[in-house]
Amino acid sequence: MTGLLIRGATTLGGAQEDIRVREGRIVATGSLLPELRETVIDAAGLVALPGLVDLHTHLREPGGEASETVLTGTRAAAAGGFTAVFAMANTSPVADTAGVVEQVASLGHRHGYATVRPIGAVTVGLAGERLSEIGAMARSRAAVRVFSDDGKCVHDALLMRRALEYVATFDGVIAQHAQEPRLTEGAQMNEGALSGELGLAGWPAVAEEAIIARDVLLAQHVGARLHVCHVSTAGSVDVIRWAKARGIAVTAEVTPHHLLLTEELARGYDARFKVNPPLRRDEDVHALRTALADGTIDIVATDHAPHPAEAKECTWAEAAFGMVGLESALPVVQTAMIETGMLGWADIARVLSTAPAAIGRLEGYESPLAEGSAAHLTLVDPAARRTWGADDLHGRSSNTPYTGVELAGAIVATVHGGVPTLLDGALRPAEEVARG
Amino acid sequence: MKHLLSTRDLDRAAAVRLLDVAEDMALTATREVRKLPTLRGRTVVNLFFEDSTRTRLSFESAAKRLSADVITFSAKGSSVSKGESLKDTAQTLQAMGADAIVVRHPSSGAAHQLAHSGWIDAHVLNAGDGTHEHPTQALLDAFTMRSRRFGGDSRGRDLNGMRVLIVGDVLHSRVARSNVWLLETLGAEVHLCAPRTLLPAGVGSWPARIHHDLDAALATGPDAVMMLRVQQERMHDAFFPSALEYAREYGLTAERFGRLEADTMVMHPGPMNRGLEISSAAADSARSTVLEQVTNGVFIRMASLYLLIAGADDAPRPSGADA
């Protein structure tokens, strides 16, 4: 492809601008740029965002290719407007060595749909017993900066302290899955009146809040960066707000589904709604939205967790935790945050692109849509509304909670490093994307 | 009625009708031939993913007395133990012509999923799902209470004004949940008594008065005291300090039993842990309804199967049915 001219997009300042892309960079912005020999995208009525960055994706490769691969996961990412994803470490083998993280990063690079930045495991085999080779992963070609045992909590306080201290030496961050294991043994959904009524073992909010409280104090004590994964309760928001007020280097994420869905959906025992952490109460959703709006929660991250059909077509207790979320992330956030007037599009750019890139030390997102910057961008039709169906999913699994649900907005185009991965709402063929 | 999944789904009229049809079914027990042709040619599958000899035999007996063909499927040693899913098992059974599936499963919501996932068309009867519900147990309890209270004058009545005290492991008890919803629907006043560790989250919003002191709860003058089984495996999980302490604090000891009013019923879903939650003095007394509950279970299950399978169409009604 010779280059791109994006004509008349609404930029974050609200103006209509043309954006010219050449050789992976934005080379010019302005109005009525002359048309050269290039592909022209008519972006009238579309909002131009910096390419979205997901700090929390499960790509499942290696080992879980029946659920997702780096290729299918990054295709889903491109369809959802993402140009970079951070791939969680709970693969098989676990991403706890330089070899595995380099393999994952290289698969992403080869396919080209999105930049893949692997997340390294904090502990060997996610077993919570010994630190993994964090330094080797950091120095590898994958240049890992985010470490997490996500899916499991680093529950040993001493090990967590050591991990925080260790990664601080190369500006890394520990992304904690905050779940006190003893308080959540057998837990199936949020603990409350509904879990009591449905006879499902409850997952108390305090199991999340207690770990966050401990970890922010540890981060302060050792002077390291802590990132809290998928915050789900109002009490967690209170703890993070308190920690930030004390100047502790803590950042936090919320998933799109925790901004929109509540535990009431468990009433039908439909395992698509079984997720870790669980869907919570209305009051929690309200607190999470408020915290995202006031900056207490820094970013939105999908926790895209693909599972094959058989892992969900079973009883609630047997079903796997998790839901896919890359394709629906922006429509859900638009529905929950923009349509409620709590965020504007510039905020969306921050919480879904520049801030997650900054937390993960991902370069190329520092000056979004500015001349000279890397051409990672996403065009959104904010006026669209559509009812979600299987056709909206591009990964290998279909465990979405939004089938049959009307959501706002539509991703029209995604450009990764100057290469369109999605045009007119359709993914471009793999060979064209890989060629660049 | 397409399915019987939960007592929450029953309004007063539906619950009383079930009890009344069970009265009709009970009449058949006095006949020389204790069998009705009502479900001849229909197939009832007992799909048991969890061991329960009593409940399985009760459902088998009920279906056979209605002349249904009965297939009993136990997960142990079957394809289920080789990894076959609930969905595949249920679809296989439906392909064999099951009109109704009686399902018992260790997972809460399993019966609901069978009924509403679109996997099968058969009627689904919940014979106990995890720690969620066991509706026919609650119905047989209500039937037993009504029979004791009103005798031959039971038909058409509810339990308005009765005070029922349920004692013990409410947290893990599907029997307690089904009873709370049904008893409230039938107008009874429900009391629960347990240590806080054995009460579910949100129990304060249930239609029941909560007690932690059994002596104080008994002093409210219950018409029925329902003791729940203590599951021995819970003792190792810090729900209470020791069996001895549990028996002392929450057991229906001979001494406590002696303080009950002369007409207070003593109920237990069985099997009983004698000396733990219930003393032999209470279990073997004339006030104990334990064996009546077992007998009445067959009538309730006959009524449930009849109303599910035949109640909505033109199949013959049981002799003496009034509706």
Side-chain angles (χ1 to χ4, degrees), chain A residues 25-72:
Chain A
R25 301 217 155 256
I26 293 173
V27 294
T29 58
S31 59
L32 300 174
L33 295 180
E35 205 167 303
L36 306 174
R37 289 198 314 155
E38 58 202 348
T39 301
V40 178
I41 300 174
D42 177 8
L46 306 183
V47 174
L49 294 173
L52 307 186
V53 177
D54 188 20
L55 197 66
H56 194 145
T57 300
H58 295 272
L59 290 180
R60 305 293 188 213
E61 187 177 11
E65 289 83 353
S67 302
E68 195 78 284
T69 64
V70 172
L71 173 61
T72 61

Tab-separated table of all heavy atoms in Angstrom, chain A residues 25-72:
chain	number	residue	atom	x	y	z
A	25	ARG	N	4.294	6.351	9.520
A	25	ARG	CA	4.213	7.547	10.371
A	25	ARG	C	3.144	8.502	9.842
A	25	ARG	O	2.785	8.454	8.660
A	25	ARG	CB	5.550	8.305	10.381
A	25	ARG	CG	6.684	7.466	10.868
A	25	ARG	CD	7.681	8.265	11.710
A	25	ARG	NE	8.374	7.346	12.595
A	25	ARG	CZ	8.129	7.210	13.886
A	25	ARG	NH1	7.228	7.956	14.489
A	25	ARG	NH2	8.780	6.322	14.611
A	26	ILE	N	2.666	9.334	10.746
A	26	ILE	CA	1.769	10.403	10.337
A	26	ILE	C	2.666	11.538	9.838
A	26	ILE	O	3.497	12.056	10.592
A	26	ILE	CB	0.881	10.857	11.514
A	26	ILE	CG1	-0.073	9.708	11.880
A	26	ILE	CG2	0.127	12.126	11.163
A	26	ILE	CD1	-0.892	9.952	13.130
A	27	VAL	N	2.516	11.859	8.565
A	27	VAL	CA	3.448	12.853	7.995
A	27	VAL	C	2.808	14.224	7.863
A	27	VAL	O	3.525	15.230	7.731
A	27	VAL	CB	4.008	12.385	6.636
A	27	VAL	CG1	4.885	11.154	6.816
A	27	VAL	CG2	2.890	12.109	5.641
A	28	ALA	N	1.474	14.274	7.869
A	28	ALA	CA	0.845	15.593	7.757
A	28	ALA	C	-0.562	15.518	8.315
A	28	ALA	O	-1.237	14.489	8.218
A	28	ALA	CB	0.796	16.034	6.297
A	29	THR	N	-0.983	16.620	8.916
A	29	THR	CA	-2.382	16.748	9.328
A	29	THR	C	-2.837	18.150	8.914
A	29	THR	O	-2.025	19.063	8.783
A	29	THR	CB	-2.552	16.608	10.854
A	29	THR	OG1	-1.765	17.602	11.501
A	29	THR	CG2	-2.133	15.226	11.343
A	30	GLY	N	-4.098	18.291	8.685
A	30	GLY	CA	-4.604	19.610	8.295
A	30	GLY	C	-5.881	19.456	7.518
A	30	GLY	O	-6.436	18.359	7.422
A	31	SER	N	-6.361	20.579	6.982
A	31	SER	CA	-7.607	20.495	6.228
A	31	SER	C	-7.315	20.551	4.736
A	31	SER	O	-6.386	21.238	4.294
A	31	SER	CB	-8.545	21.617	6.646
A	31	SER	OG	-7.931	22.854	6.425
A	32	LEU	N	-8.090	19.806	3.989
A	32	LEU	CA	-8.013	19.783	2.537
A	32	LEU	C	-6.590	19.521	2.025
A	32	LEU	O	-6.077	20.236	1.176
A	32	LEU	CB	-8.566	21.102	1.954
A	32	LEU	CG	-10.034	21.383	2.314
A	32	LEU	CD1	-10.449	22.746	1.824
A	32	LEU	CD2	-10.925	20.304	1.729
A	33	LEU	N	-5.961	18.498	2.581
A	33	LEU	CA	-4.638	18.105	2.080
A	33	LEU	C	-4.794	17.631	0.642
A	33	LEU	O	-5.792	16.978	0.303
A	33	LEU	CB	-4.046	16.978	2.926
A	33	LEU	CG	-3.710	17.307	4.380
A	33	LEU	CD1	-3.141	16.069	5.074
A	33	LEU	CD2	-2.703	18.447	4.467
A	34	PRO	N	-3.851	17.934	-0.230
A	34	PRO	CA	-3.981	17.492	-1.621
A	34	PRO	C	-3.899	15.970	-1.706
A	34	PRO	O	-3.165	15.340	-0.947
A	34	PRO	CB	-2.778	18.139	-2.309
A	34	PRO	CG	-1.804	18.403	-1.200
A	34	PRO	CD	-2.614	18.678	0.024
A	35	GLU	N	-4.657	15.444	-2.634
A	35	GLU	CA	-4.701	13.988	-2.774
A	35	GLU	C	-3.525	13.534	-3.635
A	35	GLU	O	-3.334	14.037	-4.739
A	35	GLU	CB	-6.020	13.580	-3.421
A	35	GLU	CG	-6.429	12.191	-3.076
A	35	GLU	CD	-7.880	11.936	-3.463
A	35	GLU	OE1	-8.772	12.684	-2.993
A	35	GLU	OE2	-8.093	11.000	-4.246
A	36	LEU	N	-2.732	12.620	-3.118
A	36	LEU	CA	-1.602	12.075	-3.873
A	36	LEU	C	-1.959	10.655	-4.289
A	36	LEU	O	-3.119	10.234	-4.144
A	36	LEU	CB	-0.340	12.110	-3.001
A	36	LEU	CG	-0.004	13.499	-2.420
A	36	LEU	CD1	1.167	13.403	-1.451
A	36	LEU	CD2	0.306	14.485	-3.526
A	37	ARG	N	-0.985	9.921	-4.763
A	37	ARG	CA	-1.284	8.530	-5.135
A	37	ARG	C	-1.303	7.697	-3.865
A	37	ARG	O	-0.255	7.259	-3.374
A	37	ARG	CB	-0.222	8.009	-6.100
A	37	ARG	CG	-0.355	8.654	-7.478
A	37	ARG	CD	0.366	7.855	-8.521
A	37	ARG	NE	1.693	7.466	-8.088
A	37	ARG	CZ	2.365	6.415	-8.540
A	37	ARG	NH1	1.815	5.637	-9.435
A	37	ARG	NH2	3.572	6.139	-8.096
A	38	GLU	N	-2.480	7.541	-3.303
A	38	GLU	CA	-2.598	6.880	-2.011
A	38	GLU	C	-4.025	6.374	-1.831
A	38	GLU	O	-4.934	6.782	-2.557
A	38	GLU	CB	-2.229	7.850	-0.879
A	38	GLU	CG	-3.101	9.097	-0.869
A	38	GLU	CD	-2.469	10.273	-0.162
A	38	GLU	OE1	-1.453	10.082	0.526
A	38	GLU	OE2	-2.993	11.388	-0.285
A	39	THR	N	-4.189	5.545	-0.870
A	39	THR	CA	-5.533	5.065	-0.531
A	39	THR	C	-6.233	6.148	0.287
A	39	THR	O	-5.665	6.667	1.243
A	39	THR	CB	-5.445	3.777	0.293
A	39	THR	OG1	-4.745	2.808	-0.486
A	39	THR	CG2	-6.818	3.249	0.665
A	40	VAL	N	-7.457	6.467	-0.087
A	40	VAL	CA	-8.185	7.527	0.620
A	40	VAL	C	-9.306	6.891	1.442
A	40	VAL	O	-10.063	6.058	0.950
A	40	VAL	CB	-8.771	8.545	-0.378
A	40	VAL	CG1	-9.577	9.614	0.367
A	40	VAL	CG2	-7.651	9.194	-1.188
A	41	ILE	N	-9.342	7.256	2.687
A	41	ILE	CA	-10.439	6.799	3.542
A	41	ILE	C	-11.318	7.996	3.853
A	41	ILE	O	-10.842	8.991	4.416
A	41	ILE	CB	-9.898	6.198	4.866
A	41	ILE	CG1	-8.990	4.999	4.576
A	41	ILE	CG2	-11.041	5.801	5.796
A	41	ILE	CD1	-8.300	4.430	5.830
A	42	ASP	N	-12.586	7.897	3.462
A	42	ASP	CA	-13.513	8.986	3.772
A	42	ASP	C	-13.939	8.841	5.230
A	42	ASP	O	-14.643	7.906	5.586
A	42	ASP	CB	-14.728	8.901	2.839
A	42	ASP	CG	-15.768	9.969	3.168
A	42	ASP	OD1	-15.466	10.853	4.003
A	42	ASP	OD2	-16.875	9.914	2.597
A	43	ALA	N	-13.489	9.760	6.051
A	43	ALA	CA	-13.740	9.640	7.489
A	43	ALA	C	-14.752	10.674	7.984
A	43	ALA	O	-14.767	11.012	9.174
A	43	ALA	CB	-12.422	9.760	8.248
A	44	ALA	N	-15.583	11.169	7.074
A	44	ALA	CA	-16.599	12.139	7.500
A	44	ALA	C	-17.509	11.488	8.534
A	44	ALA	O	-18.015	10.379	8.316
A	44	ALA	CB	-17.407	12.589	6.291
A	45	GLY	N	-17.673	12.148	9.644
A	45	GLY	CA	-18.534	11.618	10.703
A	45	GLY	C	-17.845	10.605	11.604
A	45	GLY	O	-18.448	10.106	12.557
A	46	LEU	N	-16.579	10.306	11.307
A	46	LEU	CA	-15.854	9.327	12.125
A	46	LEU	C	-14.907	10.043	13.092
A	46	LEU	O	-14.360	11.091	12.769
A	46	LEU	CB	-15.044	8.373	11.249
A	46	LEU	CG	-15.801	7.631	10.140
A	46	LEU	CD1	-14.864	6.675	9.420
A	46	LEU	CD2	-17.002	6.878	10.710
A	47	VAL	N	-14.724	9.456	14.251
A	47	VAL	CA	-13.788	9.980	15.241
A	47	VAL	C	-12.449	9.269	15.068
A	47	VAL	O	-12.411	8.040	14.956
A	47	VAL	CB	-14.315	9.747	16.678
A	47	VAL	CG1	-13.276	10.151	17.723
A	47	VAL	CG2	-15.613	10.518	16.895
A	48	ALA	N	-11.372	10.053	15.034
A	48	ALA	CA	-10.031	9.451	14.937
A	48	ALA	C	-9.436	9.344	16.339
A	48	ALA	O	-9.307	10.344	17.057
A	48	ALA	CB	-9.139	10.313	14.058
A	49	LEU	N	-9.103	8.122	16.708
A	49	LEU	CA	-8.474	7.866	18.016
A	49	LEU	C	-7.074	7.319	17.783
A	49	LEU	O	-6.819	6.701	16.736
A	49	LEU	CB	-9.270	6.807	18.783
A	49	LEU	CG	-10.679	7.141	19.236
A	49	LEU	CD1	-11.342	5.884	19.812
A	49	LEU	CD2	-10.659	8.246	20.285
A	50	PRO	N	-6.177	7.517	18.721
A	50	PRO	CA	-4.923	6.775	18.618
A	50	PRO	C	-5.245	5.280	18.700
A	50	PRO	O	-6.246	4.895	19.318
A	50	PRO	CB	-4.127	7.254	19.835
A	50	PRO	CG	-5.145	7.789	20.781
A	50	PRO	CD	-6.269	8.318	19.949
A	51	GLY	N	-4.434	4.462	18.075
A	51	GLY	CA	-4.680	3.019	18.119
A	51	GLY	C	-4.858	2.555	19.557
A	51	GLY	O	-4.125	2.964	20.456
A	52	LEU	N	-5.845	1.707	19.767
A	52	LEU	CA	-6.135	1.283	21.140
A	52	LEU	C	-5.080	0.284	21.615
A	52	LEU	O	-4.529	-0.482	20.819
A	52	LEU	CB	-7.526	0.660	21.222
A	52	LEU	CG	-8.677	1.507	20.666
A	52	LEU	CD1	-10.019	0.830	20.942
A	52	LEU	CD2	-8.678	2.927	21.255
A	53	VAL	N	-4.823	0.318	22.916
A	53	VAL	CA	-3.802	-0.545	23.522
A	53	VAL	C	-4.459	-1.319	24.663
A	53	VAL	O	-5.049	-0.706	25.559
A	53	VAL	CB	-2.632	0.302	24.073
A	53	VAL	CG1	-1.615	-0.592	24.779
A	53	VAL	CG2	-1.971	1.089	22.947
A	54	ASP	N	-4.367	-2.630	24.606
A	54	ASP	CA	-4.961	-3.436	25.678
A	54	ASP	C	-3.858	-3.994	26.566
A	54	ASP	O	-3.037	-4.789	26.111
A	54	ASP	CB	-5.803	-4.572	25.098
A	54	ASP	CG	-6.583	-5.290	26.191
A	54	ASP	OD1	-6.767	-4.684	27.278
A	54	ASP	OD2	-6.991	-6.446	25.984
A	55	LEU	N	-3.880	-3.595	27.803
A	55	LEU	CA	-2.843	-4.050	28.740
A	55	LEU	C	-3.152	-5.447	29.303
A	55	LEU	O	-2.373	-5.976	30.096
A	55	LEU	CB	-2.723	-3.034	29.888
A	55	LEU	CG	-1.455	-3.098	30.737
A	55	LEU	CD1	-0.227	-2.715	29.933
A	55	LEU	CD2	-1.552	-2.185	31.971
A	56	HIS	N	-4.256	-6.045	28.888
A	56	HIS	CA	-4.663	-7.296	29.535
A	56	HIS	C	-5.423	-8.189	28.550
A	56	HIS	O	-6.654	-8.181	28.501
A	56	HIS	CB	-5.545	-6.968	30.749
A	56	HIS	CG	-5.753	-8.118	31.674
A	56	HIS	ND1	-5.850	-7.960	33.040
A	56	HIS	CD2	-5.907	-9.441	31.451
A	56	HIS	CE1	-6.043	-9.143	33.606
A	56	HIS	NE2	-6.088	-10.052	32.653
A	57	THR	N	-4.668	-8.969	27.768
A	57	THR	CA	-5.268	-9.872	26.779
A	57	THR	C	-4.744	-11.286	27.025
A	57	THR	O	-3.579	-11.468	27.340
A	57	THR	CB	-4.851	-9.456	25.351
A	57	THR	OG1	-5.296	-8.132	25.103
A	57	THR	CG2	-5.454	-10.382	24.308
A	58	HIS	N	-5.606	-12.248	26.873
A	58	HIS	CA	-5.156	-13.643	26.901
A	58	HIS	C	-5.158	-14.164	25.469
A	58	HIS	O	-6.221	-14.314	24.870
A	58	HIS	CB	-6.075	-14.488	27.784
A	58	HIS	CG	-6.028	-14.099	29.236
A	58	HIS	ND1	-5.112	-14.628	30.118
A	58	HIS	CD2	-6.762	-13.205	29.948
A	58	HIS	CE1	-5.292	-14.090	31.312
A	58	HIS	NE2	-6.285	-13.219	31.248
A	59	LEU	N	-3.964	-14.429	24.941
A	59	LEU	CA	-3.875	-14.918	23.561
A	59	LEU	C	-3.809	-16.438	23.485
A	59	LEU	O	-3.972	-17.016	22.421
A	59	LEU	CB	-2.654	-14.304	22.862
A	59	LEU	CG	-2.757	-12.805	22.554
A	59	LEU	CD1	-1.494	-12.312	21.868
A	59	LEU	CD2	-3.963	-12.499	21.678
A	60	ARG	N	-3.555	-17.087	24.609
A	60	ARG	CA	-3.614	-18.556	24.743
A	60	ARG	C	-2.503	-19.327	24.024
A	60	ARG	O	-2.381	-20.526	24.237
A	60	ARG	CB	-4.966	-19.102	24.272
A	60	ARG	CG	-6.180	-18.487	24.952
A	60	ARG	CD	-6.255	-18.850	26.409
A	60	ARG	NE	-7.513	-18.418	27.013
A	60	ARG	CZ	-7.627	-18.021	28.269
A	60	ARG	NH1	-6.580	-18.005	29.072
A	60	ARG	NH2	-8.798	-17.656	28.752
A	61	GLU	N	-1.756	-18.718	23.128
A	61	GLU	CA	-0.672	-19.416	22.449
A	61	GLU	C	0.644	-19.061	23.125
A	61	GLU	O	0.886	-17.868	23.346
A	61	GLU	CB	-0.617	-19.024	20.972
A	61	GLU	CG	0.377	-19.851	20.173
A	61	GLU	CD	0.390	-19.502	18.676
A	61	GLU	OE1	-0.214	-18.480	18.297
A	61	GLU	OE2	1.016	-20.248	17.920
A	62	PRO	N	1.444	-20.048	23.488
A	62	PRO	CA	1.348	-21.469	23.175
A	62	PRO	C	0.460	-22.239	24.156
A	62	PRO	O	0.264	-21.807	25.292
A	62	PRO	CB	2.803	-21.924	23.327
A	62	PRO	CG	3.377	-21.025	24.370
A	62	PRO	CD	2.719	-19.691	24.138
A	63	GLY	N	-0.051	-23.347	23.672
A	63	GLY	CA	-0.694	-24.316	24.552
A	63	GLY	C	-2.200	-24.310	24.536
A	63	GLY	O	-2.814	-25.331	24.783
A	64	GLY	N	-2.807	-23.175	24.242
A	64	GLY	CA	-4.274	-23.110	24.270
A	64	GLY	C	-4.829	-22.711	22.927
A	64	GLY	O	-5.793	-21.950	22.839
A	65	GLU	N	-4.220	-23.245	21.869
A	65	GLU	CA	-4.578	-22.795	20.519
A	65	GLU	C	-6.021	-23.113	20.137
A	65	GLU	O	-6.562	-22.522	19.199
A	65	GLU	CB	-3.609	-23.388	19.483
A	65	GLU	CG	-2.201	-22.812	19.531
A	65	GLU	CD	-1.300	-23.456	20.581
A	65	GLU	OE1	-1.807	-24.283	21.376
A	65	GLU	OE2	-0.100	-23.134	20.619
A	66	ALA	N	-6.651	-24.050	20.851
A	66	ALA	CA	-8.063	-24.331	20.552
A	66	ALA	C	-8.936	-23.132	20.932
A	66	ALA	O	-10.019	-22.936	20.375
A	66	ALA	CB	-8.533	-25.566	21.307
A	67	SER	N	-8.463	-22.323	21.870
A	67	SER	CA	-9.235	-21.162	22.306
A	67	SER	C	-8.868	-19.916	21.510
A	67	SER	O	-9.736	-19.116	21.142
A	67	SER	CB	-8.971	-20.878	23.785
A	67	SER	OG	-9.289	-21.983	24.578
A	68	GLU	N	-7.589	-19.741	21.278
A	68	GLU	CA	-7.116	-18.532	20.598
A	68	GLU	C	-5.663	-18.755	20.218
A	68	GLU	O	-4.960	-19.559	20.846
A	68	GLU	CB	-7.213	-17.321	21.538
A	68	GLU	CG	-7.104	-15.957	20.871
A	68	GLU	CD	-8.397	-15.531	20.172
A	68	GLU	OE1	-8.683	-16.067	19.066
A	68	GLU	OE2	-9.106	-14.693	20.732
A	69	THR	N	-5.216	-18.044	19.171
A	69	THR	CA	-3.788	-18.038	18.840
A	69	THR	C	-3.362	-16.582	18.764
A	69	THR	O	-4.208	-15.669	18.813
A	69	THR	CB	-3.525	-18.708	17.481
A	69	THR	OG1	-4.176	-17.922	16.471
A	69	THR	CG2	-4.037	-20.133	17.433
A	70	VAL	N	-2.071	-16.379	18.613
A	70	VAL	CA	-1.606	-15.000	18.463
A	70	VAL	C	-2.253	-14.382	17.224
A	70	VAL	O	-2.703	-13.225	17.245
A	70	VAL	CB	-0.067	-14.958	18.378
A	70	VAL	CG1	0.420	-13.549	18.034
A	70	VAL	CG2	0.551	-15.426	19.696
A	71	LEU	N	-2.355	-15.170	16.136
A	71	LEU	CA	-2.978	-14.643	14.922
A	71	LEU	C	-4.451	-14.319	15.142
A	71	LEU	O	-4.898	-13.198	14.878
A	71	LEU	CB	-2.835	-15.653	13.775
A	71	LEU	CG	-3.604	-15.291	12.497
A	71	LEU	CD1	-3.128	-13.967	11.920
A	71	LEU	CD2	-3.471	-16.394	11.441
A	72	THR	N	-5.223	-15.273	15.652
A	72	THR	CA	-6.673	-15.012	15.784
A	72	THR	C	-6.939	-13.939	16.827
A	72	THR	O	-7.847	-13.123	16.678
A	72	THR	CB	-7.442	-16.301	16.135
A	72	THR	OG1	-6.972	-16.814	17.396
A	72	THR	CG2	-7.276	-17.358	15.060
